[in-house]
Amino acid sequence: MNGPTATNSPEATELDADEWNELFDALAVDRRRTVLLELVERGAPLSVDALAEAVFERHGPGADAPHAESTAGIERLRIELYHVDLPKLAAADLVAFDEETQRASATERTAASAELLDGLR
């Protein structure tokens, strides 16, 4: 296995049971994992709107969907990201989310988590 493991990651040994539960809960939803990957791949903070569009591109109904369906889907994603996913990722310290600017950015844990997820694929 090439990714970090619980035995060789210094951060992993510092987590207590509640923190592990919070981490796994945050990573349990594919949409949240996609947010982490987008932040790592782009290497810069992203707005909620940009994240919603990126997640929709990866998981939306496809290129042949009507424009109205795409617009509604992106708006639903934006709302879910803002109210559910980004706060949950921030609580697990997987992203930093600034509600005032509505931008998410990577933390020290973001890249390590994305690397771990990539190793699990």
Side-chain angles (χ1 to χ4, degrees):
M1 183 189 284
N2 294 343
T5 65
T7 57
N8 70 6
S9 173
E11 276 188 37
T13 58
E14 297 172 10
L15 297 178
D16 64 24
D18 289 337
E19 291 169 322
W20 275 109
N21 289 337
E22 188 174 49
L23 179 66
F24 286 125
D25 184 44
L27 296 174
V29 175
D30 190 40
R31 199 172 47 236
R32 294 183 204 134
R33 295 188 301 267
T34 300
V35 166
L36 295 180
L37 295 173
E38 283 294 323
L39 287 171
V40 169
E41 287 174 12
R42 299 209 191 176
L46 293 171
S47 68
V48 175
D49 291 338
L51 283 169
E53 289 175 15
V55 171
F56 189 82
E57 281 181 26
R58 290 188 189 216
H59 303 287
D64 58 344
H67 179 71
E69 184 178 330
S70 295
T71 302
I74 291 170
E75 181 59 19
R76 275 192 306 277
L77 270 172
R78 190 191 71 70
I79 292 167
E80 290 171 2
L81 288 170
Y82 182 84
H83 290 288
V84 179
D85 299 315
L86 290 171
K88 189 168 283 279
L89 289 168
D93 196 30
L94 292 170
V95 301
F97 179 55
D98 184 339
E99 287 188 42
E100 189 175 311
T101 63
Q102 295 192 11
R103 297 183 74 74
S105 56
T107 66
E108 290 181 18
R109 281 188 175 175
T110 307
S113 298
E115 195 175 303
L116 175 66
L117 293 170
D118 195 37
L120 295 174
R121 287 187 200 189

